[in-house]
Each structure stands twice: as C-alpha cells, then as structure tokens.
Amino acid sequence: MRAIALLPALAGLLPGAATQAVLAEDRGFTADDLVRLERVSDPQLSPDGRRLVYVQRETDMAANTGRTDLWLLDLTRRDAVAVRLTTHEANDGSPRFAPSGEAVYFLSTRSGSSQLWRLPLAGGEAVQVTNFPVAVDSFRVSPAGDRIAFAARVFRDCADLACTRQRLDARAKGPTGRTYDALFVRHWDRWNDGRRNVLHVLPLGADGLAAGEPRALTAALDGDVPSTPFGGAEEYAFSPDGARLAFAARVAGREEAWSTNLDLYEVAVSGGEPVNLTVANPATDTMPVYSPDGRYLAWKAMARAGFEADRYAIMLRDRSTGETRELAPAWDRSPKRIDWSADSRSLLAVADDIGQAPLFRIGLAPAGAAPRIERLTGDGAVVELAVAGGRIVYGLQSLSSPPQLYALEGRGARPLTRAGEALLAGVRMAGYEQFSFAGANGATVYGYVMKPWKLEPGRKYPVAFIAHGGPQVSFANSWSFRWNPQVYAGAGYAVVFIDFHGSPGYGQAFTDSISQDWGGKPLEDLKLGFAAAAQKYPWLDADNACALGASYGGFMVNWIAGQWTDGFRCLVNHAGIFDTRSMYYMTEELWFTEWENGGPYFAVPANHEQWNPSAHVTKGRTPMLVLHGQLDFRVPYTQGLATFTALQRRGIDSRLVMSPDENHWILKPGNSLQWH
C-alpha cells in the first residue's frame, strides 16, 4: 500500500534493493508517470499451460478513467511477443479460458453493461454470450465447459433477472426516500438498495453460447455471494467434476454489520439447498479451491470472530470422509491467496514475510506431521497467480517496479511482460533499503528508506515520513498506484516508512499487538524508527520532514498532531479518523472498530476515547493538508471536515481538498494528479 532498468538484471528474481541504474535521459518518477503507467493483471493460463491471457490497463486522461483490454502470449516461444486480443473502446476484463483452450470468455461493458462475451482464438469477432437486464459482476467456467457460474446483484425475492430491472426502473420514477430496518444502510461507497449478490448458473451449448435461462442457486440465503464490497470469483469454485459449487457467504440477519462470520457452503449445480461446511467456525472461512484430483477442498479460515485481521489458516477437507484439518498450524504466516499445484500434491500460497510477500509451496503432509514449506520467489510482492498444465505464472512488484508477469522456471523466473517500458525509458527509479531497529518494548521492527532519485554526496534531503493504513497491512517492498514512495523520491524527497506494531508478516502476535493500542506502540515505533533512520542515513534531514498517512495512517497523522508536536514541519492527512466516538456511530463495518477498541462505544467508551485525536486539538500547531473522498463511507468525509474545522478555528495553517466523486481511495487519473 509494481523495461524498466530492472528487467535486464533479472536472474529469476528482482535485483537488490539498492539498485539505482542510470538511463539515457535522467529524471525522477512523477505522479503523471504513475497515473499514465500501463498496468498488467489477472493472468490466466490455458488448460495445457501453453498460452497466457491477461488484462492490461491504459489511461485515458481525457475521459479521466482507465481502459482495459485483453492480451495473449504464446509461452512455448521465448521470443514471442504479446498480441492484443481486444481493442474496443469499452472495458474488457476477467478473461477465462474455455476448457478446450480454443476460446476465451471475458466480461465487457461494450453492450452498455458488464456482460459475458466469448472470443474464439482461431480468429473471428467476439460474440456476446449474455444480454441480461442486470450486470454480470464475476463468473467461472465449469470444467466441462457446459455451464458458467456467475454473480449478479438482484432482489432475492425476484423470480428472474428481468424482475430486478423492472423494480429498479419503477423506483426511479417514484419517491426518492430510502427506508431501512437494519444495518447495513450503506457500505464502502454505495447505499443499500435492497439487492444482494446472488450466485447463478447458466447452461452453455456445444458452441459455447447460452443454451437456456439462468437459475439462481443462493437466493434463499440472506447474504451476498460473493461478499461485498470486494469479493469476486475467488470466493466460489466448481468441483473438478463440475457437479458442485463451493462458495463463501455471510448470512446477514441483523448482525451483518458487526459479524465476520463468513461460512463455506457447497451446493449442487442442479440446484437444492446449500450445505454449510464450516458451521462450527464463528469466524471467516473463504476462498475455496478444489484439488485437481477432486480429493480435497482447501480454503482460508480465521479463528476469532469479529477480527478481520486474524491469521488465516489453510484448511483441508477430505471430500470422501469429511475429515477437516489445518495444513500447516505451526507456520506463523497469514496467506493472502492459495491455489493447488497441478499434481494435487501441494498448495501454493502468497503471504507477507518480513517486508516481502513471496510465493510459497506447502506440501501435503499426513495429519500431525509438519509439511515441507518452500519459498519459491525472492524479494518483492507476489500479487497474481495462475497454475495450469504444469506451469506457474505470477505477478511480481516491488518498490522500484510496477506489476509484471513472470513464469516460474526451476529456481528462476522468466519475465513475460514489460508494461510501461516506453513511458519509463528516461526514468531513474530511486534506490531503497530495508533496515531494522529496536522498537516498542525492545521488539525488532523493520522499515524502509528510499533515497531521492538523484542523491548527491554531502547533501541532506527533506523527508516524506509515511505511515501506512490498515492498520494491519504492510507498507513494504511493493508497488502502489496511490501511495507510491517513488513519486516523493522523484520530486527530490527522501522517504521513510515503518512496519510498526500491527503490521503482518512478522508473526500473528505482532499483528495483534495494535488492537486497543492504536496510539501506543505504533507511535513509539514511528518515533524510534525515524530516529534510527536519521542516525543511519546521514542524507536524511530529520529537521525538515513531513508526516503523511491515509486511513489508519490519517488517524496517526491526527494523533501525531497532538502527541508529537515538534516532530514535523507539515502534516498530510487523507481519510483519517479525527473523533473515535462519531467514527463508531457513522462507519459501516462495525466489527472493525469494535474489535480494535474492545467493544461498542456505548459499552466501553473509555477504550475508544483513549486514542481519540479530537481530545488533543489544543496541543497541535503543525500545518496540515486534509484530503477526503465524499463517497467514503468507511471513514466518512465528516471526519476530514471535522479535522479541518478544528485546524481553522485554532488558526493553524491548513487546507482541505474534498473529492466529491471518490471513495476511501482516490482512483480517477485526473483526481489522482490533483491529489498528488
């Protein structure tokens, strides 16, 4: 929270962190580069592993948006060049191969809404598969290619998709008032209109096109499949024989806004009542993946109800006996995603690990035995994964490289994409280095320092000191299209950022340690880390620094304003919590603030007030820039407005930038440039 000069230096892994190659026309990386940079994502292998299709996003500055197309690469030829499959002005994405490998299904908005299309790879135009009155949000193709499973947002009591469209059209002509009897009233950036994500199946004919009407499989469940606001096709999967679907769902009821109890269900594609496989676990179960041989179902599971940042365990269920066990209970890491190896003998997992996010292979050991865990990639963050035909393709990014795709080959890797190479031809990426220090309670804490893009001997440089959000995330060796330290380094700043107590990748106890201690150990880590960096790197001008952060990082900036009053020349606060009381009563996912503060505000007000920045406004004196998205329902924009009000009333130099069409994140290219 990833050619470039790095690619020729690849020896299977990204080069060392201190790399700082000088290219032809020296210049630093800019915010304009960031928003214009091509982005590759969603790699998908053909069943035989011989071809790769992926999504590439380009920026349309005039339209203030990104635009996505599909690209195809022949992996059997090392000199192959990717071919652009789609060129439509609409967005094309979410590619999935037909089981035969002869065609690619994908989602496109070219018909006016997100619908399913099919593109034959032997030649010819894409053919529209669905023309539903509602959008298709995500999909999967069955192993036999005889049907698709797809998710659509509908009214659960409607008998068909047309009913949802008719009801929405009727509402548009009537009164505009909304009525609610339970939470969620709104979620992330959207008001609740009564619809749910419902999983459907659609039969396909021999030609790969629709051969019947869609049938809802999860309409009887009062919950979203996949979950909102960010769930997708990774939350449901076909069994290898195509007879069943496994999916994750949180049955809502009145506790939806403070429950993290997603359960794993299985249902026959022919219909029937879904069976809850994880009813005994009151916490999150998600991301089901069947082993290719059909013997096992694996998924990620947390153990503590109400805690969204608990350690994910890898669970394994023998489908013939129902026996369920954790695969690697002694592995103190929390996988972000998992997938099976092609031979069903191991699982692949991506997890934060000491400031990196590598790909691991975890062998299938007998119950009670420790599995063999092998790290497959080096420095950087793995962000995508595709496995088929004995081949593994993954996306990798770092602090000096945007996401690129690689094929794992033995103990090395073959680069497959060079997105952004032309744009970055004259850019010198700033060098960076990981360091450690004794943090709060003497614990070893890690951070990164990034040099200005052009470091001159003997000079000191102003410092951008960035606190990450989350708070249970790692601002580590990874690329960001929002908070990217290369932008600051490219503008002549040095950059320092710390994985303070609460960050993942250092053991679950370290992650847990921030809960009910938001302004304690993390602030101490930041102070000690900044001092350690200033002592270790003489080119840091610690007396000329600005602290910046978003979300929890924005809270920390507000906290710094009243607690570390002599530390910085300026503060930048994006979407930061200002008042913990109003935050509790105005945010949407109550489980987060209840866990982090030990309960609801009305039950434990002292816990919430202990780390309330609004209680310390009279201590602050540092100028602050306040930024917020008006569609932010996670940290409502009124928190930013309250921050600005306090600053203005006290006569402290301050500026407010409110983005009316953005949520918790600033995403549109033009808005991002203004934000920077």
Side-chain angles (χ1 to χ4, degrees):
M1 75 184 186
R2 278 41 310 10
I4 305 178
L6 299 179
L7 287 176
L10 269 167
L13 303 171
L14 288 176
T19 298
Q20 196 169 5
V22 180
L23 300 183
E25 301 174 13
D26 264 4
R27 68 177 180 87
F29 187 71
T30 68
D32 190 70
D33 294 329
L34 185 70
V35 301
R36 293 179 184 272
L37 199 60
E38 297 162 346
R39 312 180 190 183
V40 295
S41 64
D42 204 3
Q44 298 293 320
L45 285 164
S46 59
D48 60 9
R50 296 170 64 85
R51 290 186 287 187
L52 175 74
V53 64
Y54 61 92
V55 177
Q56 183 163 306
R57 177 191 185 271
E58 297 175 352
T59 303
D60 185 339
M61 294 300 297
N64 197 24
T65 190
R67 192 177 146 278
T68 57
D69 287 300
L70 307 185
W71 291 69
L72 181 72
L73 181 63
D74 182 353
L75 298 181
T76 66
R77 294 174 44 220
R78 300 188 75 88
D79 61 345
V81 176
V83 176
R84 190 173 192 157
L85 287 180
T86 63
T87 57
H88 199 278
E89 61 183 9
N91 282 322
D92 298 330
S94 301
R96 299 294 182 270
F97 275 94
S100 64
E102 67 183 14
V104 170
Y105 290 93
F106 63 99
L107 294 180
S108 177
T109 58
R110 58 181 70 187
S111 65
S113 69
S114 177
Q115 298 294 327
L116 187 68
W117 292 68
R118 184 179 187 273
L119 179 65
L121 295 181
E125 296 296 321
V127 178
Q128 189 167 356
V129 177
T130 66
N131 189 21
F132 299 142
V134 298
V136 176
D137 293 328
S138 62
F139 75 98
R140 281 190 181 271
V141 185
S142 70
D146 58 347
R147 69 193 75 209
I148 62 163
F150 71 93
R153 193 160 167 256
V154 299
F155 294 108
R156 292 171 50 243
D157 60 342
C158 274
D160 55 27
L161 300 179
C163 163
T164 291
R165 172 50 52 198
Q166 292 163 3
R167 190 175 299 181
L168 290 172
D169 291 344
R171 282 187 180 183
K173 300 175 183 177
T176 58
R178 306 184 184 101
T179 301
Y180 299 98
D181 299 308
L183 300 172
F184 289 112
V185 169
R186 58 186 189 175
H187 201 180
W188 188 249
D189 59 4
R190 185 166 64 189
W191 288 87
N192 182 2
D193 63 3
R195 288 182 288 169
R196 290 283 187 188
N197 288 344
V198 172
L199 194 61
H200 298 72
V201 289
L202 175 71
L204 301 177
D207 57 359
L209 303 180
E213 294 300 317
R215 182 178 67 256
L217 292 180
T218 64
L221 289 176
D222 184 14
D224 290 291
V225 183
S227 63
T228 59
F230 304 121
E234 74 282 353
E235 292 189 5
Y236 57 93
F238 277 104
S239 61
D241 62 4
R244 307 188 72 79
L245 278 160
F247 63 88
R250 175 175 49 233
V251 174
R254 64 175 299 273
E255 299 181 352
E256 182 180 19
W258 56 92
S259 169
T260 61
N261 187 20
L262 274 76
D263 278 313
L264 212 64
Y265 293 80
E266 200 173 40
V267 65
V269 296
S270 57
E273 185 175 352
V275 177
N276 190 336
L277 303 179
T278 60
V279 66
N281 183 22
T284 296
D285 297 277
T286 190
M287 202 175 288
V289 284
Y290 288 95
S291 60
D293 63 8
R295 179 178 177 182
Y296 295 106
L297 177 65
W299 67 92
K300 303 192 312 179
M302 294 181 177
R304 288 175 283 182
F307 187 22
E308 69 174 18
D310 196 9
R311 172 182 171 267
Y312 270 121
I314 300 175
M315 305 304 296
L316 202 62
R317 177 186 175 90
D318 189 310
R319 298 183 65 215
S320 61
T321 67
E323 177 189 358
T324 301
R325 62 185 174 93
E326 183 177 352
L327 178 59
W331 190 46
D332 196 7
R333 292 294 181 264
S334 184
K336 299 179 178 183
R337 64 166 301 158
I338 58 174
D339 206 344
W340 284 92
S341 63
D343 60 9
S344 299
R345 297 173 60 183
S346 61
L347 277 153
L348 302 169
V350 177
D352 286 310
D353 186 54
I354 317 295
Q356 316 291 337
L359 177 65
F360 296 88
R361 188 196 308 275
I362 306 172
L364 287 194
R372 180 170 182 253
I373 301 176
E374 178 186 6
R375 181 169 170 167
L376 301 179
T377 61
D379 290 351
V382 174
V383 289
E384 307 276 4
L385 184 62
V387 185
R391 197 185 298 271
I392 297 173
V393 168
Y394 60 94
L396 185 68
Q397 59 191 16
S398 75
L399 284 165
S400 57
S401 174
Q404 303 290 354
L405 301 181
Y406 300 84
L408 190 67
E409 296 182 347
R411 294 191 172 275
R414 171 159 60 111
L416 303 176
T417 61
R418 299 175 182 268
E421 184 176 43
L423 179 68
L424 299 178
V427 172
R428 185 201 301 183
M429 287 290 183
Y432 57 93
E433 181 178 326
Q434 188 179 35
F435 68 99
S436 64
F437 59 94
N441 298 331
T444 300
V445 178
Y446 290 83
Y448 278 91
V449 63
M450 182 174 286
K451 303 173 183 178
W453 75 275
K454 192 174 184 180
L455 183 67
E456 297 179 5
R459 280 194 59 185
K460 284 183 175 288
Y461 292 85
V463 182
F465 187 62
I466 306 177
H468 69 63
Q472 293 94 351
V473 300
S474 173
F475 192 2
N477 191 7
S478 188
W479 185 267
S480 172
F481 282 101
R482 291 181 292 115
W483 283 86
N484 193 310
Q486 287 287 351
V487 173
Y488 300 91
Y493 294 91
V495 192
V496 178
F497 39 103
I498 307 297
D499 264 359
F500 45 77
H501 276 78
S503 306
Y506 308 94
Q508 189 60 40
F510 191 86
T511 304
D512 291 348
S513 65
I514 194 173
S515 298
Q516 299 186 52
D517 193 31
W518 272 31
K521 291 186 292 295
L523 178 62
E524 188 174 353
D525 288 342
L526 291 172
K527 287 183 174 181
L528 292 170
F530 191 40
Q535 183 176 15
K536 183 177 177 65
Y537 304 102
W539 36 269
L540 295 174
D541 187 352
D543 296 323
N544 190 18
C546 189
L548 311 88
S551 197
Y552 171 84
F555 157 86
M556 181 51 72
V557 166
N558 277 334
W559 191 244
I560 285 171
Q563 303 295 322
W564 192 359
T565 58
D566 60 349
F568 300 98
R569 299 281 295 276
C570 63
L571 302 171
V572 178
N573 165 10
H574 174 79
I577 297 168
F578 171 77
D579 178 63
T580 54
R581 179 179 183 178
S582 58
M583 171 66 182
Y584 175 79
Y585 289 112
M586 297 176 69
T587 191
E588 13 85 292
E589 292 183 353
L590 291 176
W591 63 74
F592 172 74
T593 186
E594 289 188 5
W595 182 275
E596 292 304 304
N597 293 285
Y601 185 93
F602 54 79
V604 286
N607 288 14
H608 291 254
E609 291 295 338
Q610 183 180 8
W611 312 115
N612 192 345
S614 69
H616 303 279
V617 293
T618 59
K619 301 176 185 176
R621 58 175 185 263
T622 309
M624 186 185 296
L625 171 65
V626 183
L627 309 108
H628 224 113
Q630 199 167 327
L631 298 180
D632 187 351
F633 302 155
R634 180 62 43 82
V635 179
Y637 77 89
T638 48
Q639 295 289 315
L641 188 59
T643 303
F644 185 62
T645 298
L647 292 163
Q648 286 284 301
R649 189 62 183 86
R650 293 201 59 242
I652 298 172
D653 286 346
S654 48
R655 173 177 290 170
L656 173 68
V657 179
M658 186 68 65
S659 300
D661 54 347
E662 298 283 6
N663 54 35
H664 199 54
W665 303 327
I666 305 300
L667 300 176
K668 296 180 179 179
N671 294 350
S672 179
L673 284 176
Q674 181 189 33
W675 183 91
H676 277 93

